[in-house]
Amino acid sequence: MTLAEALRDRLLTLPPVASLVGARIYTLKFPQSFTPPALRLHEIDRVSTMQLRGDQRVRRSRVQIDAVEAEAHGDPYDLAHELADAVRGELTSSGATGLVGFRGIVSGLVIEAILGDDRREAYDSDAHMVRVEQDFLVWFHE
């Protein structure tokens, strides 16, 4: 199980995300033709934790998740942000409602922590889509 697959599985279990995108969560790139709204996961980098005895087998990865929405579906700006907010979630006393603050086992992968790091927005004038890019820092055992 890769980290991207585990994060995809986690996102599919979140009702606010699943209600917006269904199963339209892709890794690395969007298909040639797809129906928005949709998500794309992309692992930006991965760092190993080391000590004098060697590799700790705990990794810290930066993962970018893009939420996209097309102009054809109402207000794409609001809808793309609604999807991005659902991915991020909230850290409440009852636990993480999205990715931020999540800790647990997903599809056999032990995730120690997920923190939100950065958020940007963009507009693709060729595709007529709004994109909200978010970076997450994920600590996990490999």
Side-chain angles (χ1 to χ4, degrees):
M1 174 65 52
T2 67
L3 176 60
E5 291 169 332
L7 291 175
R8 183 180 190 279
D9 289 349
R10 167 69 180 159
L11 289 168
L12 288 171
T13 67
L14 303 173
V17 173
S19 70
L20 292 169
V21 299
R24 295 183 306 275
I25 302 175
Y26 307 101
T27 55
L28 192 57
K29 66 178 189 159
F30 289 110
Q32 179 91 19
S33 107
F34 68 98
T35 303
L39 294 172
R40 175 180 56 188
L41 290 83
H42 177 74
E43 188 172 350
I44 303 298
D45 65 8
R46 183 179 290 199
V47 178
S48 300
T49 56
M50 302 290 282
Q51 64 169 333
L52 292 176
R53 293 184 188 149
D55 189 355
Q56 290 274 335
R57 304 216 34 95
V58 175
R59 308 290 183 245
R60 195 271 307 149
S61 182
R62 177 182 303 273
V63 177
Q64 179 178 318
I65 300 179
D66 298 341
V68 298
E69 179 57 285
E71 282 183 329
H73 301 112
D75 184 350
Y77 182 85
D78 286 345
L79 294 171
H81 278 274
E82 179 183 350
L83 178 54
D85 291 344
V87 168
R88 186 178 212 72
E90 296 178 10
L91 184 56
T92 65
S93 59
S94 61
T97 63
L99 290 184
V100 171
F102 177 77
R103 178 181 190 162
I105 299 173
V106 179
S107 303
L109 189 72
V110 178
I111 296 177
E112 291 294 337
I114 300 178
L115 301 176
D117 185 46
D118 193 18
R119 185 170 175 151
R120 303 161 301 282
E121 58 186 43
Y123 177 73
D124 183 341
S125 59
D126 293 333
H128 301 284
M129 289 191 198
V130 173
R131 182 176 64 245
V132 179
E133 303 169 349
Q134 298 183 95
D135 291 351
F136 297 90
L137 300 177
V138 182
W139 280 265
F140 65 101
H141 293 270
E142 192 169 50

